[in-house]
Amino acid sequence: MRFLRRVLLALGLPVVLVAAWWFGSAGSQDFYWPSLSTIVDAFGRTWTWEMFQEQVFPSLWRLLAGYLIAVVVGVALGVLIGTYGSVRALLEPVLEFLRAFPPPVLVPAAILLSGIGDRTKILVIVFGCVWPVLLNTIEGVRGRDEVLSDTCRTYRVTGLLRLRHLVLRAASPQIVTGARQALPLAIILMVISEIMAANEGLGFTVLQFQRGFQIPEMWSGVLLLGLIGIVLSLLFRVAERSLLGWYHGQRAGQREF
């Protein structure tokens, strides 16, 4: 019953919104705002397996590559900066300067440097997604328990053992928070980069539908992007539960106490 209640709470609002959209748009004659039934029909006709292979899978590959690189780079730099105050003092002005750049602004420069291939889109995703991971990692490393740090120092726990069992473990909740914040950014930047610099991909395809006044097909692409976001969010939640099971169990025990 508890599981059923959670499922109903999770699905209740989306079901209500979809029902409202379906019945509210039924019979719509507006060219730019077709009914949901028309969009669903266009979705089935447009997004075939061949279309997924040609347009969707390349986008997902760029999204995954850019996101994972951003997470790895953000964690590595965050651990370094959070551990050593001198490195933080040296790099902080440069990082604040770079963080002020909106990632889409860099697309024209990236096109000049590397063309409109996968590298440009991956670089844009990396640049936009690395900041939440980096900043959260820094805060997580700096906020580690000093008692545990002293204990490691007393027992001469150094190197990779200290990094794995103290630093990364203490910072892991913050790292996961940064990675969660970076995920929707990765989807947005994937679409923007494909709209501005691509000859294939999901963002490019949606733009072509819009330019060709294929409005139901355009909305079906927008709907597909939303579904991709939901699936990725659910997968991330499963991974988070697996990685931070000890943390959630610890918090549950503290609440019971």
Side-chain angles (χ1 to χ4, degrees):
M1 290 299 295
R2 185 177 180 182
F3 174 77
L4 180 61
R5 181 183 177 186
R6 292 180 61 182
V7 170
L8 291 175
L9 288 175
L11 297 179
L13 182 58
V15 169
V16 170
L17 292 176
V18 170
W21 186 7
W22 183 280
F23 293 107
S25 64
S28 173
Q29 300 299 319
D30 193 320
F31 180 75
Y32 297 104
W33 298 96
S35 65
L36 180 56
S37 59
T38 303
I39 296 173
V40 171
D41 181 64
F43 189 100
R45 288 185 286 100
T46 303
W47 301 106
T48 60
W49 176 248
E50 291 76 13
M51 196 69 164
F52 267 80
Q53 289 180 311
E54 295 174 3
Q55 306 297 341
V56 180
F57 290 156
S59 296
L60 295 178
W61 147 247
R62 291 188 284 261
L63 169 67
L64 182 63
Y67 178 74
L68 291 179
I69 293 173
V71 170
V72 172
V73 172
V75 171
L77 285 177
V79 169
L80 179 65
I81 296 171
T83 302
Y84 301 102
S86 57
V87 177
R88 183 166 62 252
L90 177 65
L91 295 181
E92 191 171 23
V94 177
L95 293 177
E96 289 297 330
F97 175 75
L98 293 175
R99 191 162 68 99
F101 281 95
V105 174
L106 300 178
V107 175
I111 294 173
L112 291 176
L113 294 174
S114 57
I116 61 172
D118 289 348
R119 185 186 305 174
T120 297
K121 303 170 189 63
I122 291 174
L123 286 175
V124 171
I125 294 171
V126 170
F127 186 83
C129 294
V130 73
W131 302 110
V133 180
L134 173 62
L135 297 176
N136 278 279
T137 303
I138 292 173
E139 293 303 315
V141 172
R142 293 182 64 187
R144 65 185 181 273
D145 193 338
E146 291 299 325
V147 175
L148 293 178
S149 298
D150 292 339
T151 303
C152 288
R153 193 177 302 113
T154 301
Y155 286 96
R156 301 184 184 278
V157 179
T158 59
L160 292 177
L161 281 176
R162 184 178 185 275
L163 175 65
R164 178 184 175 185
H165 293 288
L166 173 64
V167 177
L168 290 179
R169 185 177 177 87
S172 56
Q174 289 285 85
I175 293 172
V176 170
T177 297
R180 186 190 304 114
Q181 294 171 353
L183 184 58
L185 286 176
I187 299 174
I188 294 170
L189 292 173
M190 176 198 74
V191 175
I192 292 176
S193 64
E194 290 179 349
I195 288 175
M196 299 178 66
N199 52 19
E200 48 87 26
L202 186 51
F204 173 81
T205 303
V206 172
L207 180 65
Q208 293 304 109
F209 285 148
Q210 183 264 334
R211 288 176 174 174
F213 292 96
Q214 297 173 274
I215 304 303
E217 288 77 9
M218 180 198 74
W219 282 112
S220 73
V222 175
L223 183 61
L224 178 59
L225 282 168
L227 294 175
I228 290 174
I230 292 173
V231 171
L232 291 178
S233 178
L234 293 175
L235 292 176
F236 186 91
R237 183 171 297 183
V238 172
E240 177 187 2
R241 287 289 177 181
S242 176
L243 291 172
L244 296 181
W246 63 271
Y247 176 73
H248 294 299
Q250 186 181 63
R251 293 191 62 185
Q254 290 175 348
R255 285 197 298 267
E256 290 178 2
F257 179 78

